Amino acid sequence: MNAQLLLAGLLALLPASAAVAAEPAACLPVVEKPWVRSAPPGAKTLAGYLVLRNPCAAPVVVVDVESLDFGMPMIHRTVEEDGMSRMRAAGRLELPPGGELRFEPGGLHLMLMRPLRPLAEGDVARVRLVLEDGRRVFAQYPVRREAP
């Protein structure tokens, strides 16, 4: 009798647990081709690059960057002003559904200032992009001389 009650109770829970398992996890953008350009020993600033793709049905907004390896990471954009290239804070970056953002030399990029440890070619930097809703997108960025 007890075994039958236990079995009936477990069977009653199956539809609920199947519904939970069927729910998709909250969609996050995807970091592709991340890398940090290697710099001479003692350099106080490095640059990071990536492609950020949004496979989600809703837009996502990038508002900041964090790193365990840099004391002052920022997102910058290179702009032309009065015939000079200058770097400016990129601000809020909206990524539409199915869209992508390219962080590349001469354009949008990560400014990774105040390294907290030496990073040589072959090392990996840990970086997280912060979304407007508070979620984070983590990736490891190999330190390289050239783009992958």
Side-chain angles (χ1 to χ4, degrees):
M1 179 78 176
N2 286 339
Q4 286 178 331
L5 285 173
L6 179 62
L7 183 59
L10 290 174
L11 288 174
L13 290 175
L14 276 177
S17 63
V20 169
E23 285 181 28
C27 190
L28 282 171
V30 177
V31 173
E32 297 175 345
K33 302 177 186 172
W35 67 289
V36 169
R37 186 177 305 278
S38 63
K44 300 295 182 203
T45 302
L46 288 84
Y49 308 103
L50 64 136
V51 175
L52 185 65
R53 193 173 47 80
N54 183 7
C56 308
V60 293
V61 179
V62 178
V63 295
D64 203 0
V65 60
E66 302 172 331
S67 177
L68 294 173
D69 296 311
F70 297 92
M72 198 167 133
M74 298 173 31
I75 302 173
H76 279 183
R77 183 183 306 277
T78 303
V79 295
E80 287 285 326
E81 291 178 350
D82 301 321
M84 300 286 291
S85 286
R86 301 192 189 282
M87 286 181 272
R88 300 285 183 239
R92 188 175 181 274
L93 300 170
E94 186 163 337
L95 185 55
E100 70 178 30
L101 289 172
R102 292 189 169 274
F103 291 65
E104 52 196 4
L108 191 62
H109 59 280
L110 302 177
M111 285 301 299
L112 304 170
M113 297 179 276
R114 299 185 191 153
L116 301 175
R117 64 183 176 100
L119 287 165
E121 189 169 1
D123 289 337
V124 174
R126 299 160 295 173
V127 177
R128 294 189 311 185
L129 298 174
V130 181
L131 304 182
E132 189 172 58
D133 62 11
R135 295 179 299 156
R136 268 90 171 141
V137 180
F138 174 79
Q140 294 185 340
Y141 291 64
V143 178
R144 319 168 58 114
R145 280 188 202 167
E146 304 285 328

